[in-house]
Amino acid sequence: MSLPFPAAPAQSESRSVLAIPAFRKLWQAMAFSSFGDWLGLLASTALAQQLAGGDYAKANFAIAGVFIVRLLPAVILGPFAGVIADKFDRRKLMIICDVLRFSLYLSIPIVGNYFWLYTASILVEIVTLFWSPAKEASVPNLVPKSKLESANQVSLLAAYGTAPIAAILFSTLALFTGAINAALGNTTPASAADLALYINAVSFLFCAYTVWRLKEIPSGPSQKLNSSSIGKSLWEGFSFIKGSKIIRGLIFGMLGAFFAAGAVIGLARTFVDDLQAGEAAYGILFAAVFFGLALGISFGPRVFAQFSRRRLFGISLTISGLLLVILSLVLNLVLAIFITVLLGLFSGISWVIGFTMLGLEVEDEVRGRTFAFVQSIIRVSLVLVLAISPLVAAAIGEHTYSFRTTTVTYNGAAFTMFFAGFIAVLVGVISYRQMRDRPNVSLLSDIKSAFRGELGAITGQVTSGVFISFEGGEGSGKSTQTKLLKDWLEKNGEEVLLTREPGGTTLGNQLRDILLDNKTGVISPRAEALMYAADRAHHVFSLIRPALQRGEIVITDRYFDSSIAYQGAGRVLLPSEVARISRWATESLTPTLTVIMDLPAEIGLGRLHSTDRLESEPLAFHERVRQEYLNLAHLDPERFLVVDASLTIEQIHQIIIERVGAIKTLKRNLK
Ligand SMILES: Nc1ncnc2c1ncn2[C@@H]1O[C@H](COP(=O)(O)OP(=O)(O)OP(=O)(O)O)[C@@H](O)[C@H]1O
Ligand SMILES: Cc1cn([C@H]2C[C@H](O)[C@@H](COP(=O)(O)O)O2)c(=O)[nH]c1=O
């Protein structure tokens, strides 16, 4: 029998996609234009502030204006631009767009007034709306299908990874503007914002040149693009998410994360001014957010690997909100930068978990619409927060307070950040409560368990298909009920794989013989745990995962909870350690539903005609197993269904099909 391809992606995927010369060149062009975009954003907001000439309210209004004009075209024209861009030669379109962006950015510092700053910003955004779909449509022509996901990952890196580099360059320009002006022999000295805008312009010229040389991009118009309107995707996505508590919590939380990050970005320029710091500090603060975000995205999920993703999401969001509140109270720039890195870090964690979980929790058929919904709602809320927060700050104005001998100044930016942080905390707490798994496990004990490496991270990981496990003591009726359920599901049009542990595979059957044969005699508890885990690893790898990926329903008679109950409680090993082995063996594949057939051990054993090596264990062993099952179910009532196995076979079957029949992805529920 040939084994399926491993589920985990190869480590060097991202590097290998960049080894494709044509894609690498396009990627470099993307990285340059993203870098230019970030530098342009920093420069435009700095210029808007400069043009206000020291008027606090005017500076805030002007900065809000920059964000509004940069985001509005995408909200209003986004879907239409995609359709129009479809009709043109992609390569030529990208070159024209880049040359236009070069000219527009070049003109902003030359003209140097508000009117042209806003007009040019709107035009740049409109041009970008045509460039982006042309670029998106070109990527599939340059990389094989199997590498598309890695291509998207490195594209994201180019889009966001360039932000801190742009911010550092902006700070450097701000620090050395005088020297640079002198070196260039400028008679009318340019500000850091002007210089940044010139560099930005040149980055687009470079991008145009790269694409011009990239003959691999087909010259024809692109294939059909997703052109659904924002209104339509909002509505369709909304209809799908309203039924799921977890997805609702996720989206609500992600909006909270964007709300907090948007407030920092929208208010950063005036906030650093309130801290008596200049343009260099603005760049550093901006870089700090992205540096923190990058840290959170890269290391967060790995560092907190043992912790429940659903809980971690709400917690990191709440911490981000708290950090925003603290940031608003800080009057020292160095401290503010440190807090901003932490704020970015926790926002990064919630962002990456949010997106990953959306991918995991949302079924294949509705994933596209859900993501479209999330993207639309994020754009709309970003426009609102970026536009509104400087306006609120302007309305609040400047305030100085005296306490005995000290005076402190808290301006509108600080007050607005405080409120934004407060709202983010509320959102974090609500989404934590809404998404929290295992409601009977307290946060503190979950943190302790995570440090010990317990089951925390194991929560709803099935991507496609439905995975149901049956658990219970000896003779409790598992085999009888799994067969009845299989028949019922097949009558309802499902493809079903019924399997068991140990022994779902050829190798598993050999292990089963050794494990259950009375002649085997005593096996050390740890060796026994490893043998069951070995059977499980092979079972998941070669049978269960492939079936789930085919979209089938997998029913297994016993899975990892058996090991926790038998080897953990029965053999008196640490259940947390046994769980950890299973998590490793299965790459955390967790059942959608686990049915526990609960029966006093004595009755179950009494139903059997012969006894194997495990069944021959004393009654106390089997009672410990039963109690451990009940304990597991108590901790995670969402995953477990405990059934009274002393009822009749038909009564039990009815209880089970009532619960299974409610699973949303069953064909009968999708009609
Ligand atoms: N609800 C029930 N009431 C009475 N007898 C039952 C019930 N369910 C199953 N049985 C009988 O109990 C015996 C054991 O049932 P079954 O093989 O389904 O249990 P099991 O949990 O799979 O056992 P094992 O742990 O040994 O694999 C069978 O003879 C079966 O007909
Ligand atoms: C998966 C698994 C099973 N066991 C024990 C439980 C039973 O005594 C046997 C399996 O027999 P069954 O007739 O198929 O129920 O193995 C275990 O101890 N640990 C496990 O992980």
Side-chain angles (χ1 to χ4, degrees):
M1 181 182 131
S2 69
L3 290 175
F5 195 73
Q11 296 292 321
S12 57
E13 273 297 290
S14 53
R15 241 179 278 158
S16 74
V17 75
L18 284 175
I20 302 169
F23 178 73
R24 192 176 56 246
K25 281 185 216 157
L26 182 66
W27 183 82
Q28 281 163 352
M30 285 186 300
F32 266 102
S33 65
S34 299
F35 169 78
D37 264 346
W38 288 114
L39 201 60
L41 180 71
L42 283 161
S44 314
T45 45
L47 194 63
Q49 218 250 354
Q50 263 174 41
L51 292 172
D55 180 327
Y56 189 78
K58 196 172 169 190
N60 274 297
F61 286 134
I63 292 167
V66 171
F67 287 121
I68 293 171
V69 299
R70 286 190 70 118
L71 286 163
L72 265 187
V75 174
I76 300 166
L77 297 174
F80 309 107
V83 181
I84 297 167
D86 256 3
K87 313 240 176 293
F88 292 98
D89 175 325
R90 267 169 266 165
R91 190 167 145 265
K92 281 190 192 143
L93 187 65
M94 285 165 78
I95 298 171
I96 294 169
C97 287
D98 281 330
V99 172
L100 282 174
R101 291 194 287 188
F102 158 74
S103 322
L104 286 165
Y105 272 123
L106 191 69
S107 67
I108 296 176
I110 296 173
V111 178
N113 63 32
Y114 272 136
F115 172 75
W116 189 245
L117 170 66
Y118 294 137
T119 312
S121 299
I122 290 185
L123 292 174
V124 164
E125 286 308 310
I126 293 175
V127 169
T128 307
L129 288 179
F130 290 91
W131 185 90
S132 299
K135 185 267 297 179
E136 297 293 348
S138 302
V139 174
N141 293 106
L142 305 181
V143 297
K145 243 187 180 163
S146 61
K147 290 196 166 38
L148 257 185
E149 199 178 323
S150 325
N152 287 337
Q153 275 169 355
V154 292
S155 301
L156 267 181
L157 190 74
Y160 295 101
T162 45
I165 305 172
I168 289 166
L169 179 70
F170 185 76
S171 297
T172 316
L173 286 176
L175 282 175
F176 300 107
T177 320
I180 294 168
N181 276 321
L184 297 177
N186 286 351
T187 42
T188 41
S191 69
D194 293 348
L195 288 173
L197 285 164
Y198 292 136
I199 296 175
N200 178 15
V202 173
S203 78
F204 285 110
L205 202 57
F206 178 84
C207 189
Y209 171 72
T210 313
V211 176
W212 175 66
R213 287 186 50 211
L214 203 60
K215 303 282 191 278
E216 290 87 342
I217 295 179
S219 54
S222 54
Q223 278 116 42
K224 206 173 149 284
L225 277 173
N226 179 5
S227 59
S228 69
S229 73
I230 287 190
K232 194 170 166 217
S233 64
L234 272 174
W235 175 247
E236 286 184 340
F238 176 73
S239 335
F240 279 104
I241 63 156
K242 70 175 192 273
S244 163
K245 200 171 83 173
I246 299 175
I247 297 170
R248 272 201 318 267
L250 262 176
I251 294 176
F252 185 61
M254 284 167 81
L255 284 180
F258 274 88
F259 190 80
V264 177
I265 295 171
L267 296 166
R269 187 62 195 90
T270 38
F271 181 68
V272 290
D273 239 38
D274 295 343
L275 295 178
Q276 318 294 327
E279 278 180 3
Y282 175 41
I284 293 173
L285 202 75
F286 205 85
V289 178
F290 284 94
F291 178 63
L293 273 175
L295 283 183
I297 290 169
S298 320
F299 302 110
R302 239 179 294 163
V303 172
F304 297 102
Q306 304 298 332
F307 204 76
S308 152
R309 297 290 142 86
R310 277 160 58 175
R311 288 179 173 223
L312 184 57
F313 177 74
I315 292 168
S316 38
L317 200 58
T318 311
I319 296 177
S320 303
L322 281 175
L323 286 163
L324 189 54
V325 168
I326 297 171
L327 181 66
S328 71
L329 299 173
V330 158
L331 295 168
N332 173 293
L333 182 67
V334 178
L335 206 58
I337 288 167
F338 179 70
I339 294 169
T340 307
V341 172
L342 286 182
L343 176 87
L345 189 144
F346 283 99
S347 303
I349 294 176
S350 36
W351 193 81
V352 72
I353 292 179
F355 262 94
T356 314
M357 278 186 55
L358 263 188
L360 291 174
E361 299 280 344
V362 180
E363 295 84 32
D364 262 356
E365 305 89 87
V366 294
R367 199 171 294 147
R369 274 164 285 184
T370 311
F371 272 89
F373 173 77
V374 175
Q375 271 163 5
S376 306
I377 203 164
I378 281 175
R379 271 196 220 164
V380 172
S381 57
L382 254 184
V383 173
L384 289 178
V385 75
L386 284 173
I388 289 171
S389 51
L391 298 182
V392 175
I396 295 172
E398 296 170 281
H399 298 276
T400 302
Y401 303 93
S402 301
F403 303 99
R404 298 182 188 205
T405 53
T406 8
T407 46
V408 285
T409 303
Y410 282 114
N411 291 343
F415 280 108
T416 317
M417 273 188 190
F418 183 91
F419 292 129
F422 183 72
I423 293 172
V425 170
L426 272 186
V427 170
V429 171
I430 294 171
S431 74
Y432 174 82
R433 294 185 69 84
Q434 197 154 19
M435 290 172 56
R436 161 179 74 150
D437 46 11
R438 297 163 295 131
N440 297 320
V441 182
S442 74
L443 176 59
L444 194 66
S445 86
D446 207 36
I447 292 172
K448 281 190 204 151
S449 311
F451 277 114
R452 290 198 301 262
E454 283 183 18
L455 263 176
I458 297 189
T459 46
Q461 307 265 342
V462 172
T463 49
S464 53
V466 177
F467 185 23
I468 303 170
S469 61
F470 275 73
E471 297 284 358
E474 314 294 341
S476 55
K478 297 178 298 300
S479 316
T480 309
Q481 292 300 332
T482 51
K483 284 180 203 123
L484 287 173
L485 180 61
K486 178 180 192 282
D487 293 345
W488 182 81
L489 284 166
E490 283 175 343
K491 274 191 205 123
N492 279 277
E494 303 289 344
E495 285 285 321
V496 184
L497 170 75
L498 175 56
T499 181
R500 65 169 182 178
E501 282 192 9
T505 60
T506 313
L507 173 72
N509 265 323
Q510 290 166 344
L511 287 168
R512 182 182 175 96
D513 288 345
I514 301 171
L515 282 162
L516 300 189
D517 192 341
N518 281 310
K519 279 192 248 135
T520 306
V522 175
I523 305 178
S524 80
R526 282 164 198 270
E528 189 178 274
L530 288 168
M531 287 171 80
Y532 277 112
D535 162 65
R536 186 161 304 129
H538 190 65
H539 190 204
V540 166
F541 181 82
S542 53
L543 213 65
I544 298 179
R545 258 193 213 279
L548 288 173
Q549 272 155 10
R550 289 194 300 270
E552 292 175 18
I553 296 189
V554 176
I555 304 174
T556 180
D557 186 341
R558 297 193 182 279
Y559 191 54
F560 63 52
D561 297 300
S562 278
S563 283
I564 300 173
Y566 280 79
Q567 280 64 54
R571 297 286 186 219
V572 204
L573 291 175
L574 257 184
S576 58
E577 290 184 353
V578 177
R580 189 154 16 137
I581 299 168
S582 271
R583 185 164 60 240
W584 182 80
T586 62
E587 291 180 84
S588 296
L589 181 74
T590 309
T592 319
L593 171 70
T594 298
V595 179
I596 293 187
M597 305 288 293
D598 179 49
L599 193 67
E602 209 175 353
I603 302 179
L605 290 167
R607 286 179 182 172
L608 304 178
H609 305 297
S610 61
T611 48
D612 60 30
R613 201 180 65 89
L614 268 285
E615 287 159 353
S616 321
E617 287 296 330
L619 194 61
F621 173 95
H622 293 287
E623 269 307 328
R624 282 203 297 279
V625 169
R626 182 186 180 204
Q627 287 314 318
E628 183 62 24
Y629 276 133
L630 293 175
N631 186 33
L632 287 170
H634 172 71
L635 295 178
D636 193 358
E638 213 175 296
R639 171 161 74 92
F640 289 96
L641 168 70
V642 181
V643 183
D644 177 356
S646 65
L647 298 173
T648 67
I649 293 176
E650 187 47 34
Q651 280 171 326
I652 298 170
H653 176 59
Q654 286 306 320
I655 294 172
I656 293 171
I657 60 171
E658 195 180 317
R659 173 75 178 257
V660 172
I663 295 175
K664 281 200 208 75
T665 44
L666 291 193
K667 291 196 176 100
R668 65 190 214 135
N669 295 336
L670 288 176
K671 276 175 203 154

